[in-house]
Amino acid sequence: MTSPLRAQPARPGWQLCPYEADRHAAQHREVIAAIFSCELEEADRWVGVAGAEKIRVLEQDGEYAATAVLMPMAQFHGGRSVRTRGVAGVGVRPEYRRDGVGSLLMAEILREVEAQGEALSILYASTTKFYRGLGYEIAGTHYAARLETSYLPPVRTELEIRALTEDDRPAMQEIVRANGRVMPGHMDRCDYLWPRLLRPRGKPAQAFGVFDDAGKLRGFLAFTLASSEALDDFQAMELRVFEAADAEGLRGLMALLRSHHSMVREISTTLPPQSPFWSWLPEQRARMKMREQFLIRLVRVGDALAQRGYPVGVSGELLLEVEDPVLPDNHGLWHLRVRDGRGSAVRVADPDQASEDRVRLDAGALAALYSGHQSAENLAILDRAQGSPEALARASGLFVGRAPTCPEMF
Ligand SMILES: CC(C)(COP(=O)(O)OP(=O)(O)OC[C@H]1O[C@@H](n2cnc3c(N)ncnc32)[C@H](O)[C@@H]1OP(=O)(O)O)[C@@H](O)C(=O)NCCC(=O)NCCS
């Protein structure tokens, strides 16, 4: 078995601390401007959008070396919403790169997240190899698709269409939660994500709901419009949110979209292939690509295994021998029990006395198995897991589900 994880050597003198505008602002704006190739003023605005309290800085003797942002989020796994810590805006000043500083930054961040009791972490990676060495692994896919509006069939709805207000937020959240239970990898929208979806780049998106006679929200969507030279100055729609609660809601949303087709010639969206949006269309006319894959990491193995859901009607037990040189509290043998859609995991006190019928895998391989992105058998082909054919099949069966996808990018 070949593990890509690297043990992180102790590096005295380095410290992870909260961002302080007085001390860090000047260097921080330069690093952010360089990483995201933006103007310094835009980098300052970025601090406001991210939230200064979420920014961390790694320094040595007061000298700024690297930074990252930590975002409180939640993601659906196996039908349950699991709190996770999103990581973004990771940057090491060029003069410190390829000397283990980025790894130290991420290891310190993982220790902070672990100490705060969070079970998972999630990120999109500019380089998978770097994060893989820290125990993150590809766990699902972010798609991007384009559809000509002329392929939307004409359809009528009896539902009332009206613009959404802040008061509609609980009803929107309810639909997101219900849909997320059957869409592994989707984010459980939180205070951090809603503004990003509904106010992209600081400007409000158009957000509409479809309501029945009783005033109940049956579906909602949000989009931005921009005229496009490539479309002969007709408009392109970026469909940012599309959530239907039921068949009538789906029909209502389609009617609302179709009503835009005189001016809007093309819709772009990150809705994944499993979305009802695509299966409702009479023909397959979208051009879809895998834009990126998201990575997750199990920060606290026991909690992560207990907090996700499992297939209803599936029961079983599994010994997981986890290799984790970065977060040693995860390292060792775990006993997972699954029953009635719920799981619990305890550390095995005396691994030598336990059965040899177990799956051995590194922390990253466990992340891929956990999300349902990879089967245990495929992880064995990748030389990231080992076990008897029966143990591997049992592991795959306990974590099986629809392919995980995530429409949001952060
Ligand atoms: C990516 C980045 C954070 C890595 O920081 P770093 O301090 O250079 O990383 P480390 O020295 O700890 O690297 C550890 C290992 O990760 C891998 N790695 C690091 N940078 C990599 C890169 N750009 N491409 C591929 N692998 C990389 C290597 O295996 C490296 O080990 P090696 O140097 O022995 O080969 C840093 O290069 C950076 O800030 N880049 C620009 C901004 C960016 O891409 N941020 C990430 C946004 S998600």
Side-chain angles (χ1 to χ4, degrees):
M1 208 172 84
T2 334
S3 164
L5 270 80
R6 302 178 297 266
Q8 300 304 313
R11 292 179 62 136
W14 289 91
Q15 208 189 352
L16 184 73
C17 47
Y19 170 88
E20 290 172 34
D22 295 352
R23 292 201 300 128
H24 302 128
Q27 284 166 321
H28 187 74
R29 68 204 300 248
E30 275 173 29
V31 170
I32 295 300
I35 294 173
F36 297 111
S37 26
C38 63
E39 300 296 325
L40 292 176
E41 293 69 32
E42 178 62 15
D44 289 340
R45 199 183 71 79
W46 192 86
V47 171
V49 172
E53 74 290 349
K54 297 193 186 69
I55 302 175
R56 299 289 176 274
V57 169
L58 187 74
E59 51 183 29
Q60 188 186 36
D61 301 329
E63 172 116 343
Y64 177 114
T67 184
V69 182
L70 286 177
M71 303 164 295
M73 295 176 160
Q75 188 176 33
F76 289 98
H77 291 285
R80 293 183 74 202
S81 171
V82 183
R83 278 159 55 109
T84 183
R85 201 48 69 93
V87 181
V90 175
V92 176
R93 282 175 63 192
E95 49 273 51
Y96 285 96
R97 286 182 195 165
R98 289 319 260 266
D99 189 28
V101 171
S103 301
L104 178 65
L105 167 78
M106 286 304 302
E108 288 292 326
I109 279 177
L110 286 171
R111 281 190 274 273
E112 178 182 323
V113 176
E114 181 189 34
Q116 288 170 348
E118 298 288 353
L120 294 179
S121 176
I122 179 170
L123 51 80
Y124 284 95
S126 61
T127 146
T128 301
K129 187 168 179 235
F130 170 68
Y131 294 104
R132 193 169 261 159
L134 291 144
Y136 287 86
E137 191 47 69
I138 295 170
T141 308
H142 173 81
Y143 290 91
R146 285 180 192 282
L147 176 77
E148 287 175 32
T149 34
S150 56
Y151 292 123
L152 288 173
V155 54
R156 300 196 71 80
T157 179
E158 299 298 316
L159 297 175
E160 181 201 350
I161 295 171
R162 71 165 164 80
L164 292 168
T165 69
E166 200 52 39
D167 292 346
D168 297 311
R169 183 77 73 87
M172 292 156 70
Q173 191 72 35
E174 203 179 306
I175 296 178
V176 167
R177 293 244 159 90
N179 289 348
R181 281 185 208 113
V182 293
M183 295 297 270
H186 280 216
M187 303 311 290
D188 189 359
R189 306 274 164 69
C190 55
D191 290 346
Y192 185 82
L193 282 174
W194 277 118
R196 290 175 66 99
L197 287 164
L198 300 180
R199 288 189 67 83
R201 297 170 282 281
K203 296 204 182 87
Q206 299 190 47
F208 293 96
V210 285
F211 296 83
D212 61 21
D213 290 345
K216 189 172 166 43
L217 184 69
R218 306 287 284 269
F220 63 99
L221 51 72
F223 57 81
T224 56
L225 295 175
S227 67
S228 158
E229 241 178 80
L231 299 173
D232 297 330
D233 292 329
F234 281 97
Q235 292 172 340
M237 173 186 285
E238 187 188 333
L239 183 60
R240 301 183 61 78
V241 179
F242 184 95
E243 301 275 358
D246 51 31
E248 213 180 329
L250 179 61
R251 201 178 154 80
L253 295 181
M254 288 299 188
L256 174 56
L257 280 183
R258 165 76 190 188
S259 73
H260 285 76
H261 96 291
S262 59
M263 285 301 289
V264 178
R265 290 294 150 90
E266 190 177 75
I267 296 175
S268 65
T269 172
T270 57
L271 290 172
Q274 296 83 352
S275 165
F277 181 94
W278 301 117
S279 298
W280 185 88
L281 295 175
E283 298 294 345
Q284 302 172 39
R285 290 287 187 264
R287 282 159 289 143
M288 188 176 287
K289 66 174 180 186
M290 179 177 98
R291 189 192 273 164
E292 273 200 49
Q293 291 180 298
F294 65 85
L295 278 60
I296 68 165
R297 196 212 202 276
L298 273 66
V299 178
R300 297 166 74 97
V301 163
D303 291 343
L305 291 169
Q307 288 171 18
R308 63 158 278 155
Y310 295 83
V312 176
V314 172
S315 296
E317 297 191 23
L318 184 67
L319 284 174
L320 287 164
E321 189 173 333
V322 181
E323 185 191 327
D324 194 343
V326 180
L327 294 176
D329 280 357
N330 290 333
H331 192 86
L333 193 60
W334 294 86
H335 185 175
L336 170 67
R337 281 192 185 84
V338 172
R339 187 173 291 275
D340 297 331
R342 302 297 286 264
S344 65
V346 289
R347 188 177 266 293
V348 177
D350 189 351
D352 295 337
Q353 296 301 312
S355 156
E356 274 305 306
D357 182 26
R358 53 181 81 170
V359 173
R360 295 186 176 83
L361 74 185
D362 65 76
L366 179 58
L369 180 70
Y370 179 93
S371 79
H373 180 69
Q374 277 299 358
S375 64
E377 290 86 347
N378 277 355
L379 289 164
I381 289 172
L382 288 159
D383 202 22
R384 300 278 300 273
Q386 263 180 359
S388 65
E390 295 74 23
L392 294 174
R394 203 158 356 110
S396 293
L398 292 180
F399 291 98
V400 75
R402 247 161 249 105
T405 59
C406 183
E408 274 106 34
M409 172 72 75
F410 37 83

